[in-house]
Amino acid sequence: MPNAALPLDRTSLPQGLGGALWRGIRGKCPRCGGTHLFTRFLKPVERCRLCGQNWTLHAADDFPPYISILLTGHIMAPVIIELGLHTGLPGWAMMVIVAVMALVLLVGLVQPAKGGVIALQWWLGMHGFAGHAGKVEAGVSP
């Protein structure tokens, strides 16, 4: 599968890392922002339907779950402290609430984290995107 994507007008490309990350976090193509990045929950499309960017080149690996776990821990810590200090709930009820909240957060954050990691790799030209960095294509000085 060739790595070359269809040429895009520079106004369609993100003008900074933040723009590319935001598109990836929202589950959109980080390059054109016009279509979905994922075919299933965590499986990215092979190619963007609009711009033709090859998304099989990413190497997100285990980084998105680490991001999801880190964010969940930082969100849940104050919740657990507040539940422990200011409620009269029995211990088992607090544990159920905390477990359900943590599970929902973990599952809800892993896809945006993966989209952000893929966008970061594309923008910086990491792994399979080497030589095809988004920032170079967008004309942003390195």
Side-chain angles (χ1 to χ4, degrees), residues 54-133:
N54 181 359
W55 294 114
T56 62
L57 305 172
H58 80 88
D61 300 330
D62 294 336
F63 194 41
Y66 290 138
I67 293 170
S68 181
I69 291 167
L70 180 75
L71 291 174
T72 298
H74 281 81
I75 293 168
M76 289 301 298
V79 171
I80 293 168
I81 291 168
E82 286 297 314
L83 279 174
L85 292 177
H86 300 293
T87 65
L89 290 174
W92 66 269
M94 284 192 290
M95 291 303 291
V96 168
I97 292 169
V98 167
V100 170
M101 286 178 68
L103 183 64
V104 167
L105 278 170
L106 285 168
V107 172
L109 290 172
V110 75
Q111 186 186 46
K114 185 165 185 173
V117 169
I118 292 171
L120 176 71
Q121 290 178 356
W122 169 73
W123 184 257
L124 296 177
M126 298 168 64
H127 302 293
F129 300 111
H132 306 285

Side-chain angles (χ1 to χ4, degrees), residues 17-30 37-38 67 71 108-120:
L17 175 59
L21 284 174
W22 183 242
R23 288 177 178 182
I25 289 169
R26 287 186 0 235
K28 301 291 184 186
C29 172
L37 180 60
F38 297 99
I67 293 170
L71 291 174
L109 290 172
V110 75
Q111 186 186 46
K114 185 165 185 173
V117 169
I118 292 171
L120 176 71

